[in-house]
Amino acid sequence: MNKKLLLSVAMTAICFPMNAQTVAPDYKGTSNNNPISANIFCADPTALEYNGRLYVYGSNDHQQFIKNGKKGENSYGEIKSLVLFSTDDMVNWTFHGTIDATRLCATWVTNPWYQGFGVSWAPSVTWRTTEDGTEEFFLYFCNSSHGVGVLKANSPTGPWKSPNNKLMIHYDTPGANAMGTNANFDPGVVIDDNGVGWISFGGLGPSTMMPNAARIVKLKPSMTEVDGTAAVIPAPYHFEANELNVIGGKYVYTYCSNWAQRSDAEWNTYKAEHGISVSRPDACTMCYMVSDDPMNPNSWVYKGVYGPHPGMGTNNNHSHLQKFQGSYYHIYHAAPLMESWRNAGVIDSDCGIFRSICINKAAVNEGTQTISKVTTSIAGANPIKYLNPYELQQAETMASCGGVEYEDFTNIKKNTKVSRLGNDVSENMQVSMKEGSWINVRHVDFGTAGAVKFMLRAKGTGTMEIRTSRAARPMATIEFASTDMEDHVVTLDATKFSGTKNNIFFVVTAADNVFVDAWQFVGAETEGVCEIENSKPLRTNSYDLSGRRLSDAHHRGIVIEQYVDANGVRQSRKVLSGK
């Protein structure tokens, strides 16, 4: 029933690698898992778990970096989109592109405090399944200090829309600015065990021990409107970076502490009044409080510091505590990539501060709602599973990279355009690679039988080597030439592609207008890369390249079809839809 694809390339090759000087530098480090992206600046993380994947959203610092001409300070004023990454192993991250808040919020109306949409900072995300089985995702962000807006989608990757024509929270929201001094920004959302939504926000109050600038308010069932008046969270030394969790049936509020002068006498008085014994927080640390009655200010108990000042070139702090696959993680931003680029002379020495999202393991006692202080490090989180090379992998999935850029396209044969990390990406993504650029995936398991073929979906004219390090001798070489995206296949020596590999590098040694879309190895125990004959597949489902299931038959572009063939074997293939 199956027939082999026409091989664009059928060869096994061993040759000497390129001169090491021609390979793009490694600014992240092969042994480092932080930051999650080696080529995109992003900050203020939030996250959710969905269908076995961790989705992380952040402020798009890279948009400001590009607008600045890759120099100067980060003023945040040109951050008008959000970035999205996902992983299922905590090491290899898929870049899903940007969420263009400028376009989505273009119809926001003017109120006395601002002129419509301005910027998109510090997102917070949550999701739910409604009674009728609909899955709804809600992404909140702040429009500078003016207030909080919300976007809505039916998948973690979108497409997103603005359900309101204005900010959801602003200075006219009851209780939002009772003292007249705080900013209504940095939202933190959670849906509790009863299905009720809550959102925290606020910051930049007086530089004192008790600024009274933190707020919390209940959300209506729609999750796009507030329900009632906001209440104060009496957070000591509160500054910004609000987030919410529900742990062990209680509400856990996290925030960044301010730079106010600390007084032993003042803190000892606070401890005595509240019956606690924890130490006072240092400046720019992540603190947390716990409550079982969130609208009652007197119910909140200060529990201490769980996240240190991140260091690594950063002068501010913002984090999210996320449970994923049974373990907790501290997701935060620092600036190790900026420092690495600056030290190497890639960017000006006065460039900063452009941040990167990092992750380290956290320890949480769910019964007592106690969070142990996290140790942050450039090493990052350990992998929780092996990457499966026999599954179709997007080129945007990587642990690290050098010399690559992202592009999106709406038609694979023409109208290719660059995504400037400020535009809403199309449903399809690809990676632009030049001579010397490389992609690195880590913790790969080829199994005992090994791989006998490798498929590279690419266009342009180029040569790619598969290596175990940037400078290693190639285990295989694939040459390709095509004007459209095509599957190019090379035969492998299975003895070289068996067992587990700490690193696999895809190094482009020659390139003329090369774009890479996806790759896949074929195991020795299978019949190879194949396509179904003209018999109708059974139970076909279609997905876009972000993994979102498609229900629209008019979808245009490349889609992934997953189906069970006439022999009862599950198959997947890429097809061009909507021609």
Side-chain angles (χ1 to χ4, degrees):
M1 295 297 294
N2 293 335
K3 62 181 181 181
K4 293 183 178 178
L5 282 173
L6 175 65
L7 299 186
S8 303
V9 180
M11 59 179 288
T12 302
I14 298 177
C15 62
F16 290 102
M18 314 167 47
N19 188 301
Q21 280 78 19
T22 65
V23 179
D26 181 3
Y27 296 113
K28 177 176 175 177
T30 306
S31 61
N32 297 329
N33 292 324
N34 277 332
I36 67 173
S37 175
N39 62 341
I40 298 177
F41 293 123
C42 45
D44 307 322
T46 187
L48 61 82
E49 179 177 359
Y50 178 72
N51 282 358
R53 293 192 70 83
L54 178 66
Y55 291 84
V56 174
Y57 307 74
S59 302
N60 189 359
D61 273 24
H62 211 87
Q63 188 173 18
Q64 182 76 60
F65 179 68
I66 296 299
K67 187 70 175 181
N68 281 11
K70 303 182 180 181
K71 59 185 178 181
E73 288 294 324
N74 186 356
S75 66
Y76 314 121
E78 296 299 328
I79 299 176
K80 301 175 185 292
S81 59
L82 304 167
V83 296
L84 172 57
F85 295 84
S86 76
T87 185
D88 64 356
D89 59 19
M90 301 305 296
V91 172
N92 299 292
W93 292 86
T94 301
F95 176 56
H96 295 278
T98 59
I99 301 168
D100 185 7
T102 301
R103 178 181 62 82
L104 296 172
C105 306
T107 59
W108 280 8
V109 299
T110 298
N111 76 16
W113 293 93
Y114 74 104
Q115 297 294 317
F117 170 80
V119 293
S120 52
W121 299 346
S124 185
V125 68
T126 191
W127 72 284
R128 69 182 179 187
T129 302
T130 62
E131 292 183 358
D132 65 1
T134 301
E135 292 178 339
E136 296 180 327
F137 296 78
F138 301 92
L139 184 59
Y140 304 83
F141 66 90
C142 61
N143 187 33
S144 184
S145 62
H146 299 294
V148 174
V150 59
L151 302 176
K152 184 179 178 181
N154 292 118
S155 89
T157 58
W160 298 91
K161 64 180 181 179
S162 175
N164 300 330
N165 67 348
K166 60 182 179 181
L167 289 170
M168 186 185 78
I169 295 173
H170 44 76
Y171 285 105
D172 296 327
T173 299
N177 195 34
M179 303 297 292
T181 57
N182 59 290
N184 296 312
F185 73 163
D186 285 12
V189 68
V190 74
I191 297 176
D192 67 20
D193 296 337
N194 297 314
V196 178
W198 303 86
I199 193 166
S200 58
F201 61 96
L204 304 187
S207 186
T208 62
M209 177 185 167
M210 193 56 66
N212 283 322
R215 300 287 186 273
I216 187 168
V217 68
K218 183 180 178 181
L219 294 174
K220 291 184 178 180
S222 67
M223 296 290 292
T224 60
E225 296 180 272
V226 301
D227 187 1
T229 301
V232 172
I233 299 177
Y237 298 109
H238 173 268
F239 184 61
E240 59 183 8
N242 316 282
E243 274 281 20
L244 283 173
N245 282 277
V246 172
I247 300 175
K250 294 192 177 184
Y251 303 85
V252 178
Y253 167 68
T254 61
Y255 65 95
C256 176
S257 61
N258 63 17
W259 282 261
Q261 184 176 359
R262 268 62 167 165
S263 163
D264 288 339
E266 189 176 45
W267 185 250
N268 289 334
T269 299
Y270 178 83
K271 289 196 300 181
E273 289 176 347
H274 294 84
I276 61 175
S277 59
V278 294
S279 301
R280 71 184 181 207
D282 290 333
C284 200
T285 55
M286 295 305 302
C287 308
Y288 72 110
M289 302 182 76
V290 175
S291 169
D292 55 9
D293 185 10
M295 294 299 290
N296 177 5
N298 294 325
S299 71
W300 288 98
V301 177
Y302 179 78
K303 299 270 285 187
V305 170
Y306 86 93
H309 187 299
M312 290 187 274
T314 313
N315 63 354
N316 61 13
N317 208 345
H318 196 121
S319 74
H320 175 66
L321 183 69
Q322 178 67 41
K323 189 175 184 180
F324 175 63
Q325 298 293 300
S327 297
Y328 280 92
Y329 294 90
H330 174 56
I331 312 176
Y332 60 100
H333 68 227
L337 182 62
M338 181 205 69
E339 289 219 309
S340 180
W341 285 10
R342 193 161 55 186
N343 293 338
V346 178
I347 56 178
D348 292 345
S349 60
D350 64 348
C351 186
I353 292 175
F354 294 95
R355 302 157 296 180
S356 296
I357 293 176
C358 302
I359 297 183
N360 285 94
K361 196 79 172 286
V364 178
N365 184 321
E366 294 183 333
T368 62
Q369 296 81 43
T370 301
I371 312 171
S372 300
K373 191 171 182 179
V374 176
T375 299
T376 58
S377 72
I378 199 71
N382 292 326
I384 61 174
K385 61 180 290 189
Y386 283 98
L387 183 144
N388 184 354
Y390 304 118
E391 292 180 352
L392 185 69
Q393 301 288 345
Q394 297 305 312
E396 310 88 64
T397 298
M398 58 188 75
S400 188
C401 65
V404 306
E405 296 179 354
Y406 298 107
E407 300 201 358
D408 68 287
F409 56 102
T410 55
N411 186 306
I412 66 170
K413 293 186 177 180
K414 58 184 178 180
N415 299 329
T416 301
K417 62 179 183 179
V418 175
S419 172
R420 297 298 183 185
L421 292 181
N423 301 323
D424 196 30
V425 299
S426 68
E427 61 268 23
N428 298 315
M429 290 280 294
Q430 59 184 351
V431 173
S432 172
M433 302 188 75
K434 57 188 178 182
E435 182 176 330
S437 61
W438 51 270
I439 292 171
N440 164 225
V441 293
R442 300 177 183 170
H443 209 59
V444 183
D445 187 0
F446 287 97
T448 56
V452 294
K453 294 182 187 296
F454 173 72
M455 183 279 290
L456 178 71
R457 184 165 185 82
K459 75 173 186 176
T461 301
T463 302
M464 176 182 284
E465 295 180 354
I466 305 175
R467 309 178 183 179
T468 55
S469 73
R470 289 170 54 246
R473 296 170 65 94
M475 298 188 294
T477 300
I478 181 168
E479 297 178 349
F480 55 92
S482 60
T483 56
D484 297 327
M485 280 291 178
E486 294 182 5
D487 292 346
H488 308 279
V489 184
V490 63
T491 301
L492 306 176
D493 179 351
T495 62
K496 297 180 180 180
F497 291 89
S498 61
T500 59
K501 309 291 184 185
N502 290 330
N503 290 280
I504 291 292
F505 284 77
F506 303 104
V507 183
V508 172
T509 58
D512 181 9
N513 200 33
V514 168
F515 299 93
V516 180
D517 178 48
W519 57 267
Q520 185 176 18
F521 287 86
V522 178
E525 296 177 348
T526 66
E527 294 187 13
V529 180
C530 59
E531 64 178 359
I532 201 73
E533 290 185 352
N534 292 328
S535 58
K536 185 177 180 180
L538 306 176
R539 299 195 300 277
T540 300
N541 294 318
S542 296
Y543 300 82
D544 69 13
L545 298 187
S546 297
R548 182 177 71 246
R549 185 170 176 176
L550 300 172
S551 58
D552 183 2
H554 301 291
H555 180 87
R556 296 183 61 84
I558 297 175
V559 301
I560 300 172
E561 283 189 351
Q562 294 185 356
Y563 58 92
V564 177
D565 65 21
N567 295 323
V569 178
R570 179 174 291 180
Q571 305 279 1
S572 67
R573 64 183 178 187
K574 279 189 176 182
V575 299
L576 179 60
S577 174
K579 289 190 292 185

